[in-house]
């Protein structure tokens, strides 16, 4: 794989998690579009409300799951470096 730079596995995992977290920004953008874009202007208010409520639910659920994932990542990171320090000192 030419041109790729080595990235430690825990750093790569952190970058991957942060990249996935972008879904929250994407959902916020979609919510703004529904509220502000003239394309959605003809959408009946009750349909727009229902759609926004669904998207807000997905956003909140995704954010909650990502926070749980981040908490697990931090525990794994701590354990990884604790193991690495112990293991590296034995060599």
């Amino acid at each position: 794989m030419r041109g790729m730079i080595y990235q430690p596995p825990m750093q790569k995992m952190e970058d991957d998690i942060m990249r996935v977290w972008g879904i929250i920004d994407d959902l916020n953008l979609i919510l703004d579009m529904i509220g502000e874009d003239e394309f959605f202007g003809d959408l009946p208010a009750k349909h727009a409300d229902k759609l926004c409520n669904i998207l807000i639910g997905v956003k909140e659920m995704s954010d909650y799951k990502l926070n749980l994932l981040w908490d697990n990542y931090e525990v794994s990171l701590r354990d990884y470096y604790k193991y690495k320090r112990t293991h590296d000192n034995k060599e």
Side-chain angles (χ1 to χ4, degrees), residues 36-79:
E36 297 174 12
D37 193 309
E38 66 183 45
F39 178 82
F40 297 100
D42 293 333
L43 192 62
K46 72 177 190 175
H47 294 151
D49 285 347
K50 176 83 171 184
L51 182 57
C52 286
N53 287 335
I54 290 169
L55 290 170
I56 289 168
V58 170
K59 182 183 89 158
E60 291 299 315
M61 181 182 60
S62 297
D63 192 48
Y64 180 77
K65 287 179 173 182
L66 285 162
N67 276 298
L68 290 175
L69 176 60
W70 187 257
D71 291 345
N72 288 330
Y73 166 74
E74 287 182 325
V75 169
S76 297
L77 185 66
R78 185 192 67 228
D79 292 348

Side-chain angles (χ1 to χ4, degrees), residues 14-26:
E14 180 179 336
D15 290 348
D16 290 345
I17 292 169
M18 297 310 291
R19 197 170 15 263
V20 171
W21 221 310
I23 187 79
I24 303 303
D25 294 331
D26 296 342

Side-chain angles (χ1 to χ4, degrees), residues 22-34 56 59:
I23 187 79
I24 303 303
D25 294 331
D26 296 342
L27 289 167
N28 283 328
L29 181 61
I30 293 170
L31 286 164
D32 288 345
M33 286 173 50
I34 293 169
I56 289 168
K59 182 183 89 158

